[in-house]
Structure formats: structure tokens, C-alpha cells
Amino acid sequence: MRVAEVKLVYKSTLKASLRPKITKSQDAFEVLKQHWNYETIEFIEEFKLMLLNRANRVLGLIDISLGGTAGTIADPKVIFAASIKSNASGIILIHNHPSGNLKPSQQDLDLTRKIKAGGQILDIGVMDHLIITSEGYFSFADEGMM
């Protein structure tokens, strides 16, 4: 009987001291502005995940899903697989609203609760959920919704 071998590997070429430190939502937004495709921010919805170490330094940013004009699917299994593989202690959920509306939808609220509950089980803190547009961002944490 043959089975596939599973390897868990995390490689970083950046020293921990050089990684951006996230202390507030604005810090995360500044990192995102450098890595988001602003040519499509008003065209298609994307979902990304910011991975943080215990010192709230950015381990990486990963694309979770790419959708259409009205939504995208953020699979919790994919979110936590990336979080676990990178040994993240905390995560920030991020997606854009092509409409330019910064108000969270009911689906946004439900997903945030679901991921937060899963993070508690896995000891991975969900630090924030940002909704971004070409004009700014909305932070669940800043609004007391975390």
C-alpha cells in the first residue's frame, strides 16, 4: 500500500527584525497598499490573509480566493491550512468590496465569527478583518466588532 508523503515547510528569506510590525489597523493597511492590485480593486473581489508571528510581525500575505464582482469564497480550511503551515500566532482577514462600500455585509460578519471561533480552538488569534476599497478601509477591530 502506497501513500503520499506530507511535508510541512516554511522558508523565510527575511530576518524577523525586518518584517513590518502591526500595532494597529493602519499598519496593516499600509502593508496591503503595497501588495494589492489597485488596477482590479473596483472590478473583482479578492480575499487575502495576513499571517503574523507572536510579536505581530508579518510572516507573509497569501491570496485565499479571487471571485467576481459581487463576492468571493473564503474557505476556512484554506485559511487555517495557511495559518498552521506558516506557524502563525495571529491572522488578519482582508478582502475588498469592488462597489466601494465599506460597510460589512451579513456574510462578512458571519465569516468573521466563524474564523474567530476556529482560531480560538487552534490558538490562532484573529486580530482584525479589514474591508478595503480604492478610497480607504474598514477595520472590524477599530469598530469593536472583534
Side-chain angles (χ1 to χ4, degrees), residues 43-47 65-72 95-98 108:
F43 180 59
I44 54 174
E45 191 165 320
E46 298 180 60
F47 196 100
S65 65
L66 185 62
T69 57
T72 190
H95 76 285
N96 67 307
H97 280 176
D108 296 337

Side-chain angles (χ1 to χ4, degrees), residues 78-113:
V78 175
I79 290 169
F80 287 118
S83 302
I84 291 168
K85 187 169 183 175
S86 66
N87 202 27
S89 294
I91 57 175
I92 297 175
L93 311 171
I94 309 121
H95 76 285
N96 67 307
H97 280 176
S99 67
N101 181 5
L102 286 171
K103 184 179 179 189
S105 68
Q106 188 60 51
Q107 293 90 343
D108 296 337
L109 298 169
D110 293 344
L111 177 68
T112 303
R113 275 192 224 94

